[in-house]
């Protein structure tokens, strides 16, 4: 089981939350009354989470006002909310043909490109924003994310620091800086950033998931368990990962008070059943849970499936899973390392 924070953990960190929070376009008084009214209605629908209404109003308004950069940009925000990346890109492109310096359209399109795993195109849009507004917190946070993914950690940290300086209430920037600091090995500082993000709110699930992974990495298994329990109960996009991580902790924690083999087995079976293709991490957790219950035949079966489902490029994960097979052959359950004593 991989317990380190993934370099791509927060890949979609901003795509919906920032898109909507940054989508306000004040209708100027000189706009045509019907256009101004449509902009307000779309913004209100987005704020309420009623995306179908927002898109319907935008569709009709665009027919009447095809040269409104604001309308195309707001419809792009609605498309981002339902993860229709291609439509969001198309709408932003039209908006930028009308106004090449439309910062919001550039940010939205960059976010959609990033979701489609096109970081170079995304970076070009965020660089364009920063050429217009050098301290724009959203663009800085996005660029920090891209730089982290590429392994350019120190420049990513500079961007995150500047984003926070520009907007101290930017939960996304704190969450991104936590991921960067984790990658740099500063787990304590990363946890502080997660706490700041959770205090601000707005991206609670992202920050809580990252904090759970950091607690797991730190060996604070009770705190990690509590974060994953809450995420699982919340039914968010992180529920699937939380289910696997929770099963892993309940099966392998060194403290018997934390372990619960029966529940770990149920969660792991659920995780495996919910995937359409073999999930190596879920199978790894299933194997560990079986071993915790003394079922080493079942543990070996699941462990071999986990190895088969692990990509050859994940050499560390493969090695660790093969070591666990040796332990199960010897009749030993797997245990996570005991947390080091506090300094």
């Amino acid at each position: 089981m991989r317990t380190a924070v993934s370099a791509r953990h927060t890949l979609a960190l901003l795509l919906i939350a920032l898109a909507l929070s940054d989508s306000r376009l004040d209708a100027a008084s000189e706009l045509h009354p019907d256009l101004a009214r449509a902009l307000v209605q779309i913004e209100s629908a987005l704020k309420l989470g009623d995306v179908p209404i927002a898109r319907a109003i935008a569709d009709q308004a665009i027919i009447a006002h095809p040269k409104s950069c604001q309308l195309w940009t707001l419809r792009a925000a609605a498309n981002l909310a339902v993860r229709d990346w291609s439509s969001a890109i198309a709408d932003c492109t039209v908006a930028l043909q009308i106004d090449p310096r439309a910062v919001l359209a550039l940010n939205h399109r960059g976010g959609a490109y990033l979701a489609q795993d096109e970081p170079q195109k995304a970076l070009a849009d965020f660089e364009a924003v920063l050429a217009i507004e050098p301290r724009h917190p959203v663009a800085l946070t996005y660029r920090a994310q891209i730089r982290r993914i590429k392994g350019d950690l120190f420049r990513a940290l500079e961007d995150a620091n500047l984003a926070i300086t520009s907007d101290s209430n930017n939960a996304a920037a704190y969450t991104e800086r936590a991921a960067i600091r984790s990658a740099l090995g500063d787990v304590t500082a990363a946890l502080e950033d997660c706490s700041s993000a959770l205090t601000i709110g707005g991206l609670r699930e992202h920050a809580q998931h990252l904090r759970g992974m950091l607690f797991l990495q730190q060996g604070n298994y009770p705190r990690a368990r509590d974060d994953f329990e809450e995420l699982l109960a919340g039914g968010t996009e992180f529920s699937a990962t939380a289910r696997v991580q929770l099963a892993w902790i309940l099966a392998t924690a060194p403290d018997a008070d934390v372990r619960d083999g029966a529940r770990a087995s149920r969660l792991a079976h659920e995780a495996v059943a919910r995937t359409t293709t073999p999930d190596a991490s879920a199978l790894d957790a299933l194997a560990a849970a079986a071993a915790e219950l003394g079922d080493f035949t079942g543990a070996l079966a699941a462990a071999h499936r986990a190895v088969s489902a692990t990509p050859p490029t994940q050499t560390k994960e493969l090695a660790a899973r093969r070591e666990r097979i040796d332990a199960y052959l010897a009749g030993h359950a797997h245990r996570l390392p005991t947390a080091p004593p506090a300094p």
Side-chain angles (χ1 to χ4, degrees):
M1 173 66 64
R2 189 175 184 179
T3 59
V5 178
S6 168
R8 289 184 176 268
H9 163 63
T10 52
L11 180 62
L13 177 67
L14 313 174
L15 297 177
I16 296 176
L18 281 186
L20 298 183
S21 66
D22 198 40
S23 288
R24 182 163 181 78
L25 290 166
D26 291 324
S29 58
E30 65 270 16
L31 289 175
H32 187 282
D34 290 342
L35 174 56
R37 188 180 304 113
L39 292 172
V40 170
Q41 289 173 341
I42 297 165
E43 289 170 358
S44 298
L46 287 173
K47 185 176 180 180
L48 293 171
D50 196 340
V51 177
I53 290 296
R55 293 175 82 177
I57 296 171
D59 289 345
Q60 292 300 314
I62 283 171
I63 294 172
H65 305 280
K67 296 299 183 181
S68 170
C69 176
Q70 296 104 315
L71 283 175
W72 290 100
T73 304
L74 281 174
R75 192 170 74 174
N79 286 323
L80 284 177
V82 293
R83 306 194 177 202
D84 186 349
W85 314 127
S86 297
S87 294
I89 289 169
D91 282 347
C92 288
T93 299
V94 175
L96 289 164
Q97 289 169 351
I98 298 167
D99 180 3
R101 292 174 61 84
V103 165
L104 194 54
L106 285 165
N107 272 333
H108 285 354
R109 190 173 69 176
Y113 277 137
L114 192 55
Q116 291 192 157
D117 199 21
E118 297 183 83
Q120 286 306 119
K121 289 182 178 180
L123 183 59
D125 278 343
F126 302 135
E127 295 279 12
V129 172
L130 294 170
I132 300 166
E133 297 184 27
R135 296 173 64 88
H136 195 289
V138 174
L140 285 166
T141 306
Y142 268 123
R143 191 171 70 176
Q145 186 180 60
I146 294 172
R147 285 176 166 173
R148 172 176 58 83
I149 292 167
K150 290 183 173 183
D152 192 356
L153 297 178
F154 291 105
R155 293 177 74 197
L157 184 59
E158 289 176 1
D159 277 345
N161 286 338
L162 186 54
I164 290 169
T165 300
S166 299
D167 180 4
S168 60
N169 289 315
N170 186 347
Y174 280 105
T175 306
E176 180 54 42
R177 191 170 71 175
I180 297 164
R181 284 175 159 175
S182 171
L184 289 168
D186 192 348
V187 175
T188 300
L191 283 168
E192 290 174 358
D193 278 339
C194 285
S195 295
S196 296
L198 288 165
T199 298
I200 295 167
L203 287 173
R204 182 169 183 82
E205 293 82 8
H206 297 83
Q208 189 166 29
H209 183 271
L210 179 54
R211 188 176 69 176
M213 296 298 289
L214 288 166
F215 280 139
L216 184 54
Q217 182 178 330
Q218 194 181 52
N220 191 338
Y221 306 117
R223 294 291 301 275
R225 175 199 58 196
D226 292 347
D227 273 339
F228 293 129
E229 287 275 21
E230 190 169 340
L231 285 168
L232 181 61
T236 70
E237 62 184 293
F238 292 105
S239 294
T241 304
R243 180 177 288 103
V244 174
Q245 296 296 344
L246 185 56
W248 179 251
I249 292 168
L250 295 177
T252 63
D255 190 339
D257 291 339
V258 176
R259 292 198 305 277
D260 183 342
R263 183 156 183 250
S265 180
R266 289 195 300 273
L267 289 169
H269 275 291
E270 288 174 6
V272 171
R274 287 167 182 259
T275 59
T276 55
T277 58
D279 183 311
S281 294
L283 289 164
D284 200 12
L286 181 62
E292 169 64 13
L293 293 172
D295 177 10
F296 291 101
T297 300
L300 286 167
H304 281 294
R305 291 173 64 196
V307 167
S308 297
T310 305
T313 54
Q314 294 183 6
T315 54
K316 290 183 179 179
E317 287 81 359
L318 273 174
R321 286 167 183 158
R322 285 170 177 153
E323 286 180 7
R324 287 194 275 279
I325 287 176
D326 291 339
Y328 300 151
L329 282 168
H332 300 304
H334 180 66
R335 292 288 176 265
L336 289 168
T338 302

